[in-house]
Amino acid sequence: MNTAARTSRRGWKSYVIGAATVTALLASAACSPSGGDGPGDGKPTAKPSNPSNPSATSPSSTPGDTGSPSTPKPGDTPSAKPSPAPTTTGGSGDGAVAVCAPGDVSITSSTEDEISKGVRHILLTLTNTSQKACKVYRYPQVQIGDARRLVPEIKESAPTPGTPYDTIAPGKQTHAALLLNGPMDEAPAKTMTVQLQDTTAGSKKGDPIKVALPGVDTVYYNDFAKVTHWMTASGLALRFIMSS
């Protein structure tokens, strides 16, 4: 009986001691730095934001972002400037100028020869009598009397290649020099006409223009006759024929 009683007391003491040990362990865990209530509770501590580096606290975009793209602000992209309107000009600046017609011009003749000795050199002067500029092409097609052919051109007097015309402003003039004859038999002529050319070489613009002879009623011509292209400078035109 005494043995049973000792055993029972010893077991109770063991229970009391075990409960006390568990209580102490729980209290120790509560006060420990690794406990859930303290700063060392196992969770990561948030780092303080860095005011000098704003990007440190802003999350970076990832390819997995599904947010809608932000709307661009006005001025984010340069606005397209309208292209300037194209200007239309001709190759020589007068592509819209029409070809001179007989009704746009007047043509006179003059000479520096002594009329008493006969007229061989004639200066043809064309004046634009219209109210707008016009173009004369190449050289005048001159018909002397009843000649069977037109007076041929002096090719050396042609203007710059690619610009086979002279543009005449209202009231302005252009000139061509005509040589009538050379040292051979001559034929008399009492009339002379000038045909204006159109844009195509050898073409005609309107009807022939009758031109009065320079101070005489008869001139003499032969196969030496030739004529220059139209040109603004009368002296230059005469230079092509005065030595003949």
Side-chain angles (χ1 to χ4, degrees), residues 48-57:
S49 61
N50 186 355
S52 64
N53 184 11
S55 61
T57 58

Side-chain angles (χ1 to χ4, degrees), residues 22-35:
V22 171
T23 301
L25 289 174
L26 291 175
S28 175
C31 297
S32 172
S34 61

Side-chain angles (χ1 to χ4, degrees), residues 6-25:
R6 283 196 296 272
T7 301
S8 176
R9 281 196 294 269
R10 197 165 35 246
W12 178 83
K13 288 180 181 180
S14 298
Y15 174 79
V16 172
I17 293 172
T21 301
V22 171
T23 301
L25 289 174

Side-chain angles (χ1 to χ4, degrees), residues 68-170:
S68 59
S70 59
T71 304
K73 298 178 181 179
D76 284 351
T77 56
S79 58
K81 296 182 179 179
S83 301
T87 56
T88 303
T89 58
S92 61
D94 57 1
V97 178
V99 181
C100 293
D104 299 326
V105 302
S106 66
I107 300 177
T108 59
S109 68
S110 60
T111 184
E112 295 184 3
D113 297 336
E114 293 184 23
I115 293 178
S116 60
K117 294 182 179 181
V119 174
R120 295 185 63 234
H121 308 90
I122 293 177
L123 180 68
L124 298 172
T125 300
L126 179 148
T127 303
N128 182 355
T129 57
S130 72
Q131 300 300 313
K132 58 184 179 181
C134 63
K135 295 184 289 191
V136 287
Y137 275 81
R138 301 172 187 87
Y139 57 93
Q141 295 180 334
V142 180
Q143 173 80 41
I144 303 174
D146 297 326
R148 289 176 291 182
R149 66 177 186 135
L150 299 174
V151 176
E153 66 175 309
I154 301 176
K155 294 182 178 180
E156 294 78 9
S157 68
T160 304
T163 311
Y165 57 83
D166 196 3
T167 302
I168 314 301

